[in-house]
């Protein structure tokens, strides 16, 4: 498509020819994930995670549809219907565990996918739109996962719903009415459970839609690659089929192996025991935490313990928590470096490995720990670095750092030489 | 020659890998299909015990078996006679009354209350309901008439009302299913 | 321009965090958190092994039957088991007739077939274990203001659940003198019972397994308190997840297949890329 040397779809069978004239769907597939899509030949395994994310989304939708067949969104029976699914429905336990752990797997994959983007500058021009759509997908995923966790109507479901909708109560003036509107009442109850179920079923299909846009936008400039040098000639690329189908294929196998190990042998280790207690609006569990994939943002929320001038601490926390993700939308314009890949940006690379990654690790850890010292202080320092990294360090470093010399082309990076380089004018 | 063997070996591995993916796909379909069939609690609840001591000759009751009505009918001697009078070979679904009841208990006609046409509940088990022109059951949906042995005599239904598996656990209790 | 704005926003958040951190640090150094009795004396569950542990774990049906007996004769007086039906007991090795007899030994809420009024009727295999109290208020009233929790999911609803159940049942003791010396206000209130395996150290449930031989086992196993606690914990592992065995068995088949398929996939990948340096 975008590259002149891309293979053209040539239907051989008369039926496929007929089809191509009426509805060129096979052509679309061929040009998107087939032999017609030229991809940089030097992608490393971090580039498999986009495909894996698609697999995760599929797992979640398929297992989710099954769960919905046996679920009833009513506070009186929701918990029991899940137990019924697990105990009495044929293979019900498998679908329940696959769906619950599938959410975790999806977030593992998506975090690696996002941090691949941070390191290799995948968000930079010309792929800003791919990145923006990706952040939208991440936000939709978080909303979907949150509402899904409410559905079993266990203790964590209930108190999670209460606490998270309580965040909206922090917004000045409209906070309290907004919270009541979200819940359809004063506390989570049937109204909330029913709308969460409805939206939990709807949003994944919205995600599918945005994923289509995400992939569409990706196919305009084509995939990025670990050097960050754009594709120049045919020798820089290989067709997606069979090369990357084979690579993604075996990666799916490895992923499925790890996923199955979790589902069949450690199905509850990422969950919280309290969610096996039916919701009780009269008693809060001793230690409430969201699911692990929300921990960094939960830690940021709790890091603001003091009113800041006339902004109450609670509002500060909410602003920061949402801000921590919203800041990703601005990355393409905050990063001024002419070079994409972190491999050729010595200073940025140090901040990435010795700043951002440890800060995220601390936030992950502290978000799951009790809201007590010293965890709060640790998360304050980590959150401080997190905001400084994206809003202060990245704009300054990207403007002043001197990048390492880039290879002339992907071919040169791979083969050590590129015949085209000698013909090209020296940069 | 060696070259060709190499090529063949490679093709074989690729085909094997794709086949493994296909096997995995089929493997996933098994639980996906099977989760929709009846769950353990539904299967466990698929037998029912009915006390028939209070049913007088000429009366019938509706019991529930597998979430569907079952008609338990105590036939009068006239009704039995009526049923036995019919030339079996003339029936759409030839069966004698004796074949549809237990030996020694020919007066107890136990059938599903589900019309074999499209599954409506026929009339005739309740007091004062229309029993149709053959004195058994009458389905109001599409006008199927059943006789006193609950055999189809008129209308679109293809089969006699189904006789479920049952046994008399005592003179007054029937276990259906 | 964008960068100046960004740095200002960045400063806003970082300064606010510094402010929170500074005050928090000051409080932390000047007012160390007071130690609590819960923090000092709460114990993690004991190490205990069950037949169903580990990736090859299988239920020991003999033990589950003993555990069921303990539940039936001791726990069921106060604790419900509402997600378990009598028919499920067939999985423990009881025959259909035995299950029918067990079910008939319980009375469950039902309807009088003649009057239509609610009545207690003998259980049938499709019934679920009946609740010992009509509702939470009745349960509270009968149990010193504490509701005995449902036990169906107990071993999944606590960290390290099976060991927790076992430890709690065998963990009752007198309050240590040291605790009373350091935390005199933490003296166990009347009506409660000291147990270091319970989160706040004092619980309303009196020691349910009071002495050896409380339950008479049919299989000749000596019914010590330790044995009964272990058996009932094993039984509750089963009630929490009757499909545990099937899950692990299926898991091995799936993992074996996936390993094979992944190796094939990897070989195929190497094959296809063999002519491309990358």
């Amino acid at each position: 498509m975008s590259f002149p040397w891309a293979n053209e779809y040539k239907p051989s069978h008369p039926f496929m020819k007929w089809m191509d004239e009426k509805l060129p769907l096979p052509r679309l597939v061929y040009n998107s994930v087939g032999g017609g899509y030229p991809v940089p030949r030097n992608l490393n395994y971090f580039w498999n995670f986009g495909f894996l994310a698609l697999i995760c989304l599929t797992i979640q939708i398929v297992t989710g549809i099954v769960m919905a067949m046996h679920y009833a969104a009513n506070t009186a029976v929701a918990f029991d219907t899940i137990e019924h699914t697990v105990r009495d429905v044929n293979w019900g336990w498998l679908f329940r565990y696959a769906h619950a752990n599938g959410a975790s797997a999806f977030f593992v994959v998506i975090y690696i996918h996002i941090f691949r983007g941070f390191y290799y500058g995948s968000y930079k021009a010309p792929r800003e739109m791919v990145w923006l759509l990706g952040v939208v997908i991440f936000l939709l995923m978080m909303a979907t996962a949150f509402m899904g966790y409410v559905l079993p109507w266990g203790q964590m479901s209930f108190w999670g719903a209460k606490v998270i909708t309580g965040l909206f109560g922090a917004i000045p003036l409209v906070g309290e009415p907004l919270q009541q509107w979200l819940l359809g009442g004063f506390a989570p109850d049937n109204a909330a459970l029913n709308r969460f179920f409805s939206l939990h079923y709807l949003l994944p299909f919205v995600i599918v839609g945005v994923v289509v846009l995400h992939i569409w936008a990706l196919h305009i400039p084509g995939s990025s690659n670990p050097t960050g040098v754009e594709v120049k000639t045919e020798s820089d690329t290989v067709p997606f089929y069979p090369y990357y189908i084979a690579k993604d294929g075996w990666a799916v196998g490895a992923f499925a192996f790890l996923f199955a190990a979790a589902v069949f042998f450690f199905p509850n280790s990422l969950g919280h025991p309290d969610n096996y207690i039916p919701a009780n609006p009269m008693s809060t569990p001793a230690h409430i935490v969201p699911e692990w994939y929300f921990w960094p943002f939960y830690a940021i929320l709790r890091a603001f313990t003091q009113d800041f001038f006339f902004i109450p601490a609670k509002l500060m926390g909410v602003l920061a928590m949402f801000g921590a993700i919203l800041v990703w939308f601005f990355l393409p314009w905050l990063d001024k470096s002419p070079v994409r890949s972190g491999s050729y940006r010595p200073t940025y690379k140090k901040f990435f490995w010795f700043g951002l990654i440890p800060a995220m690790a601390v936030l992950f850890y502290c978000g799951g720990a009790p809201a007590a010292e010293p965890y709060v202080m640790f998360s304050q320092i980590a959150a401080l670095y997190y905001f400084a990294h994206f809003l202060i360090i990245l704009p300054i470093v990207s403007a002043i750092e001197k990048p390492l010399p880039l290879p002339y082309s992907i071919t040169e990076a791979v083969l050590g030489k590129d015949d085209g380089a000698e013909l090209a004018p020296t940069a | 020659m060696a070259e060709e063997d190499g090529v063949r070996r490679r093709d074989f591995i690729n085909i094997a890998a794709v086949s493994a993916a296909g096997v995995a796909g089929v493997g996933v379909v098994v639980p996906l299909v099977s989760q929709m069939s009846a769950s353990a609690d539904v299967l466990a609840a698929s037998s029912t015990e009915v006390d028939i001591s209070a049913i007088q000759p000429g009366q019938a009751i509706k019991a529930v078996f597998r979430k569907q009505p079952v008609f338990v009918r105590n036939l009068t001697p006239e009704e039995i006679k009526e049923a036995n009078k019919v030339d079996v070979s003339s029936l759409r679904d030839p069966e004698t009354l004796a074949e549809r009841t237990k030996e020694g208990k020919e007066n107890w006609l136990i059938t599903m209350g589900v019309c074999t046409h499209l599954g409506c509940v026929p009339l005739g088990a309740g007091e004062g309901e229309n029993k149709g022109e053959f004195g058994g059951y009458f389905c109001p949906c599409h006008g199927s008439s059943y006789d006193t042995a609950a055999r189809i005599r008129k209308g679109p239904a293809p089969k006699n009302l189904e006789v479920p598996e049952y046994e008399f656990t005592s003179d007054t209790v029937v276990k259906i299913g | 321009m964008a960068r100046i704005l960004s740095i200002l926003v960045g400063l806003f958040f970082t300064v606010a965090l510094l402010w929170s951190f500074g005050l928090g640090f000051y409080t932390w150094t000047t007012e160390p958190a007071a130690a609590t009795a819960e923090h000092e004396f709460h114990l993690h569950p004991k190490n205990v092994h069950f037949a169903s542990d580990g990736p090859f774990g299988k239920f020991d049906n003999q033990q589950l039957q003993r555990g069921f007996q303990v539940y039936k004769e001791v726990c069921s007086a106060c604790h419900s088991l509402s997600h378990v039906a009598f028919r499920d007991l067939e999985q423990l090795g009881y025959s259909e007739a035995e299950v029918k007899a067990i079910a008939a030994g319980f009375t469950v809420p039902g309807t009088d077939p003649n009057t239509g009024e609610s009545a207690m009727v003998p259980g049938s295999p499709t019934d679920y274990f009946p609740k010992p109290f009509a509702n939470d208020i009745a349960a509270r009233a009968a149990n010193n203001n504490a509701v005995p929790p449902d036990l169906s999911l107990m071993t999944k609803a606590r960290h390290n659940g099976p060991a927790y159940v076992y430890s709690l049942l065998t963990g009752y003791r007198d309050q240590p003198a040291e605790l009373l010396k350091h935390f005199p206000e933490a003296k166990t209130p009347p009506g409660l019972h000291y147990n270091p395996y319970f989160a706040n150290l004092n619980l309303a449930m009196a020691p349910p397994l009071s002495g050896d031989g409380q339950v008479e086992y049919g299989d000749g196993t000596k019914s010590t308190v330790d044995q009964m606690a272990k058996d009932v914990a094993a039984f509750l592992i089963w009630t929490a997840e009757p499909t545990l065995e099937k899950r692990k068995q299926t898991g091995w088949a799936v993992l074996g297949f996936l390993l094979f398929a992944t190796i094939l996939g990897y070989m195929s990948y190497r094959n296809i890329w063999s002519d491309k340096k990358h």
Side-chain angles (χ1 to χ4, degrees):
Chain A
M1 50 181 301
S2 49
F3 301 116
W5 59 85
N7 297 327
E8 204 205 332
Y9 177 64
K10 289 192 200 74
S12 49
H13 193 277
F15 172 75
M16 297 308 274
K17 274 186 192 140
W18 179 85
M19 184 76 182
D20 193 45
E21 284 165 20
K22 315 298 169 195
L23 180 72
L25 190 61
R27 178 180 294 270
L28 179 70
V29 171
Y30 183 84
N31 290 337
S32 311
V33 290
Y37 179 43
V39 187
R41 64 192 290 176
N42 61 335
L43 301 189
N44 60 32
Y45 278 108
F46 284 110
W47 265 261
N48 286 86
F49 285 85
F51 193 83
L52 289 181
L54 198 60
I55 298 292
C56 288
L57 180 59
T58 312
I59 293 175
Q60 287 310 84
I61 289 181
V62 171
T63 56
I65 288 172
V66 170
M67 289 306 289
M69 287 185 191
H70 304 284
Y71 175 75
N74 183 301
T75 56
V77 296
F79 189 90
D80 295 349
T81 59
I82 300 278
E83 277 307 309
H84 170 258
T85 308
V86 170
R87 287 159 190 269
D88 285 339
V89 170
N90 301 308
W91 299 98
W93 55 272
L94 176 58
F95 289 104
R96 205 274 160 113
Y97 283 146
H99 197 64
N101 286 283
S104 285
F106 201 174
F107 274 97
V108 170
V109 166
I110 223 71
Y111 274 121
I112 296 175
H113 190 58
I114 291 172
F115 276 75
R116 191 283 316 265
F118 286 148
Y119 182 80
Y120 289 108
S122 304
Y123 48 82
K124 291 174 71 69
R127 294 181 188 81
E128 306 97 310
M129 187 53 79
V130 186
W131 176 257
L132 296 181
L133 290 165
V135 180
V136 170
I137 294 170
F138 183 64
L139 288 171
L140 287 169
M141 276 176 65
M142 293 182 96
T144 311
F146 160 67
M147 288 188 281
Y149 196 55
V150 175
L151 302 184
W153 208 244
Q155 272 288 63
M156 282 294 166
S157 303
F158 179 87
W159 293 100
K162 189 149 191 177
V163 169
I164 299 299
T165 52
L167 297 180
F168 292 90
I171 300 169
L173 301 174
V174 297
E176 214 166 306
L178 180 64
Q179 187 184 348
Q180 271 184 28
W181 175 78
L182 285 170
L183 289 173
F186 305 104
D189 201 1
N190 258 332
L193 184 62
N194 254 306
R195 68 190 58 177
F196 282 8
F197 179 50
S198 168
L199 294 173
H200 183 70
Y201 206 116
L202 168 70
L203 287 187
F205 298 98
V206 177
I207 293 177
V208 169
V210 186
V211 165
V212 169
L213 299 182
H214 185 68
I215 296 174
W216 185 7
L218 173 71
H219 280 65
I220 306 296
S223 301
S224 71
N225 70 85
T227 64
V229 176
E230 290 296 312
V231 167
K232 290 193 169 70
T233 58
E234 186 170 3
S235 74
D236 290 345
T237 65
V238 291
F240 193 84
Y241 177 85
Y243 290 94
Y244 282 106
I245 288 284
K247 194 173 179 184
D248 282 331
W250 101 260
V252 168
F255 164 81
F257 184 86
L258 296 175
F259 180 57
V263 166
F264 289 103
F265 295 102
F266 311 98
N268 292 306
S269 33
L270 289 172
H272 199 291
D274 279 24
N275 225 27
Y276 279 111
I277 304 172
N280 178 357
M282 295 296 150
S283 143
T284 311
H287 175 201
I288 55 171
V289 284
E291 288 279 81
W292 69 266
Y293 35 79
F294 292 133
W295 285 352
F297 305 102
Y298 194 57
I300 289 175
L301 171 80
R302 295 193 301 187
F304 292 82
T305 50
Q306 301 293 335
D307 294 353
F308 188 56
F309 296 104
F310 39 80
I311 309 174
K314 184 179 173 187
L315 178 59
M316 262 321 282
V318 174
L319 283 178
M321 187 180 76
F322 287 111
I325 300 171
L326 295 184
V327 63
W328 295 355
F329 278 115
F330 299 95
L331 280 191
W333 298 279
L334 296 180
D335 184 347
K336 292 282 172 188
S337 175
V339 171
R340 293 189 187 84
S341 169
S343 303
Y344 299 93
R345 298 166 64 178
T347 319
Y348 172 75
K349 187 176 172 177
K350 287 196 189 85
F351 278 107
F352 179 87
W353 286 116
F354 301 111
L356 186 62
I357 294 294
M360 279 309 284
V362 171
L363 288 173
F364 258 114
Y365 183 78
C366 293
E373 299 297 4
Y375 304 114
V376 177
M377 290 191 298
F378 292 155
S379 48
Q380 282 160 340
I381 296 172
L384 191 153
Y385 180 81
Y386 181 95
F387 284 105
H389 179 91
F390 288 115
L391 292 167
I392 302 172
I393 296 170
L394 183 62
I396 294 177
V397 166
S398 64
I400 60 175
E401 103 177 300
K402 190 172 166 350
L404 301 176
L406 289 171
Y408 164 74
S409 68
I410 293 170
T411 307
E412 190 190 283
V414 173
L415 300 178
K417 69 177 176 63
D418 183 350
D419 298 337
E422 284 137 38
L423 304 170
T426 42
Chain B
M1 204 54 205
E3 168 93 340
E4 209 168 273
D5 280 353
V7 171
R8 237 182 258 155
R9 200 186 123 255
R10 287 180 187 179
D11 285 351
F12 172 74
I13 289 173
N14 294 348
I15 291 166
V18 172
S19 316
V23 171
V26 173
V28 168
V29 168
V30 171
L32 273 175
V33 170
S34 138
Q35 57 90 14
M36 278 174 56
S37 54
S39 57
D41 56 321
V42 172
L43 293 178
S46 61
S47 78
T48 204
E49 287 192 351
V50 184
D51 180 357
I52 56 172
S53 58
I55 309 171
Q56 300 302 318
Q59 283 189 333
I61 61 159
K62 285 187 206 176
V64 181
F65 170 59
R66 292 182 176 164
K67 302 274 166 184
Q68 300 183 96
V70 183
F71 295 156
V72 181
R73 184 163 181 160
N74 191 349
L75 298 174
T76 61
E78 294 80 54
E79 284 172 330
I80 297 175
K81 222 178 283 163
E82 182 96 356
N84 288 334
K85 228 168 49 192
V86 180
D87 175 13
V88 172
S89 61
S90 73
L91 294 173
R92 189 178 300 169
D93 184 7
E95 266 182 316
T96 63
L97 178 65
E99 284 167 342
R100 293 170 61 74
T101 51
K102 298 276 181 210
E103 210 183 325
K105 305 258 183 198
E106 276 87 1
N107 59 320
W108 289 109
L109 177 67
I110 299 178
T111 60
M112 296 303 295
V114 180
C115 179
T116 55
H117 179 222
L118 290 170
C120 295
V121 178
L123 299 172
E127 204 74 44
E129 282 180 0
N130 180 3
K131 292 184 174 177
E133 55 185 289
F134 298 91
Y137 300 104
F138 172 71
C139 182
C141 291
H142 304 94
S144 293
S145 290
Y146 298 86
D147 66 13
T148 52
R151 294 174 297 200
I152 180 66
R153 298 292 290 274
K154 195 178 168 190
K159 293 267 183 197
N160 303 334
L161 287 188
E162 190 198 337
V163 178
E165 295 254 324
Y166 69 89
E167 56 176 349
F168 286 87
T169 52
S170 73
D171 273 352
T172 57
V173 178
V174 183
K175 187 185 173 211
I176 301 172
Chain C
M1 188 59 204
R3 262 177 297 169
I4 294 170
L5 258 176
S6 144
I7 291 170
L8 285 177
V9 173
L11 284 174
F12 170 72
F13 281 116
T14 47
V15 171
L17 278 163
L18 265 182
W19 176 241
S20 283
F21 173 76
L23 287 182
F25 187 74
Y26 178 75
T27 325
W28 184 63
T29 47
T30 52
E31 301 161 30
T36 61
E38 284 96 335
H39 188 260
E40 301 294 318
F41 287 89
H42 178 256
L43 296 179
H44 285 290
K46 304 176 196 175
N47 262 330
V48 54
H49 177 80
F50 294 98
S52 52
D53 288 351
F56 295 103
K58 279 191 162 138
F59 289 122
D60 171 356
N61 277 356
Q62 278 299 316
Q63 185 178 35
L64 297 193
Q65 293 196 1
R66 292 196 302 268
F68 167 61
Q69 198 185 344
V70 176
Y71 168 75
K72 192 173 112 180
E73 293 178 20
V74 183
C75 320
S76 69
C78 306
H79 291 278
S80 55
L81 199 61
S82 53
H83 294 291
V84 182
F86 295 116
R87 64 184 156 83
D88 294 331
L89 293 173
E90 275 185 46
Q91 295 169 31
L92 304 191
Y94 291 112
S95 70
E96 209 182 320
E98 284 172 314
V99 167
K100 224 171 166 178
I102 291 169
F106 285 83
T107 53
V108 300
T111 317
D112 187 307
N114 297 317
T115 64
E117 280 170 20
S118 19
M120 294 304 282
V121 298
S124 76
T126 50
D127 286 316
Y128 286 77
F129 275 87
K131 294 186 165 84
F133 301 104
N135 52 46
D136 277 3
I137 300 170
R140 230 177 249 291
N143 289 285
N144 197 16
N145 206 27
V147 181
D150 185 86
L151 294 184
S152 331
L153 286 161
M154 186 49 76
T155 53
K156 272 160 125 185
R158 297 289 182 277
H159 280 288
N160 201 357
Y164 168 82
V165 169
Y166 166 75
S167 307
L168 191 81
L169 290 174
T170 53
Y172 287 91
R173 62 191 68 170
D174 292 332
Q175 257 186 324
E178 195 158 340
L179 188 156
L180 291 172
K181 202 174 94 192
H182 291 289
F183 306 100
E185 75 291 349
K187 187 172 159 43
T188 302
L192 297 189
H193 307 269
Y194 181 78
N195 192 323
Y197 299 100
F198 193 66
N200 70 11
L201 303 181
N202 300 299
L203 78 165
M205 176 170 71
L209 301 176
S210 50
D212 295 354
Q214 188 176 355
V215 168
E216 202 166 313
Y217 284 144
D219 65 354
T221 308
K222 222 171 154 291
S223 55
T224 59
V225 168
D226 190 76
Q227 184 68 41
M228 290 187 288
K230 215 176 270 178
D231 291 346
V232 81
F235 173 67
L236 293 180
I237 299 175
W238 173 78
T239 62
E241 191 169 2
T243 52
L244 177 145
E245 253 180 45
K246 190 177 186 198
R247 161 163 72 77
K248 290 176 180 177
Q249 282 163 4
T250 315
W252 282 114
V254 171
L255 284 189
F257 172 78
L258 284 175
L259 184 67
F260 167 74
T262 305
I263 291 171
L264 269 183
Y266 181 73
M267 284 162 69
S268 168
Y269 153 69
R270 291 296 300 250
N271 241 338
I272 286 167
W273 280 79
S274 58
D275 62 336
K276 284 277 181 220
K277 200 166 179 255
H278 60 285

